[in-house]
Amino acid sequence: FLSVARHRHSSDNVSIVAHGAVNRVLICHLLGVAPDRAFCFEQENACINRLALEDPFPPKLTMLNSTIHLGG
């Protein structure tokens, strides 16, 4: 899934809308974190996570669990 998204949208922004557990697994996978550490960080409802995927550099987490758009 991720390799196809990177290939098809190599110069675009891509949004993935998913549940917290899926978000955690994707973030762990991209950052090379062991899956058993996935619940060591929060994922609030409707949160935004942002990762920069810029080859040849490793993925960089630029925003995690932001809910500022909810006004709360």
Side-chain angles (χ1 to χ4, degrees):
F1 167 76
L2 293 172
S3 61
V4 170
R6 284 180 111 173
H7 177 71
R8 289 188 182 171
H9 304 284
S10 61
S11 62
D12 298 325
N13 293 323
V14 175
S15 296
I16 300 171
V17 179
H19 290 277
V22 175
N23 292 343
R24 287 180 174 101
V25 169
L26 286 173
I27 291 167
C28 285
H29 175 74
L30 288 169
L31 297 179
V33 175
D36 64 341
R37 305 294 296 166
F39 285 89
C40 290
F41 56 90
E42 294 292 327
Q43 287 293 276
E44 300 295 331
N45 290 336
C47 72
I48 296 175
N49 303 297
R50 183 172 41 207
L51 292 107
L53 306 175
E54 300 172 1
D55 285 331
F57 305 106
K60 179 172 39 172
L61 183 63
T62 60
M63 182 185 302
L64 178 67
N65 197 40
S66 174
T67 56
I68 194 142
H69 62 285
L70 300 176

